[in-house]
Amino acid sequence: MSERLPTHLEIASMIRLAESNGGSAMVLGKGERDAGTVLIVHVFRGGNATLYERMPQLDGTRPFVVSKAQDPEKPYEFQEYLDRRRRQDPDIWILEIDIADPERFIALMPR
């Protein structure tokens, strides 16, 4: 049996965590119920988006790190990137959070 929490439960907990910290969250793309990869898109009050992805580390942890930031001059490129990732991996989950302090939110995530 895997030690990993099924992805749909992880997503549900992230939504509740965002809401309990005064923000909101919405699933933009559902992936594989039990083992899909999770991408977190952070926006705050309609501002520029930042993408967080889990990146494996040498010590075995998998923290969320910034992998892409929206260019204010070319906002469409961010969505194109998400669309491309979705085509490459249909099992991917995309969760958008609207919260003031994304670093604090990400720090609360299990590694």
Side-chain angles (χ1 to χ4, degrees):
M1 176 137 176
S2 172
E3 294 179 26
R4 185 173 169 187
L5 186 65
T7 306
H8 72 281
L9 294 177
E10 185 178 14
I11 292 290
S13 70
M14 288 179 188
I15 292 169
R16 286 184 178 82
L17 182 62
E19 291 170 348
S20 70
N21 282 281
S24 63
M26 175 174 56
V27 176
L28 299 180
K30 284 187 177 184
E32 208 286 318
R33 179 175 167 82
D34 293 322
T37 301
V38 177
L39 303 181
I40 297 176
V41 176
H42 170 260
V43 292
F44 183 58
R45 297 184 180 161
N48 291 324
T50 305
L51 181 65
Y52 291 84
E53 293 185 61
R54 279 209 172 100
M55 296 295 176
Q57 305 298 307
L58 293 175
D59 65 1
T61 61
R62 297 176 38 238
F64 280 99
V65 297
V66 174
S67 64
K68 184 154 185 72
Q70 186 176 27
D71 181 348
E73 308 253 335
K74 301 173 189 170
Y76 57 88
E77 287 182 350
F78 191 85
Q79 186 58 50
E80 288 173 354
Y81 178 79
L82 292 178
D83 293 342
R84 188 169 52 251
R85 287 293 305 274
R86 188 99 175 121
R87 283 191 305 274
Q88 292 170 344
D89 183 2
D91 293 339
I92 212 161
W93 286 75
I94 302 173
L95 180 68
E96 179 180 282
I97 61 165
D98 186 337
I99 196 160
D101 189 355
E103 288 80 17
R104 182 174 173 263
F105 178 84
I106 295 299
L108 296 172
M109 297 291 104
R111 294 175 172 252

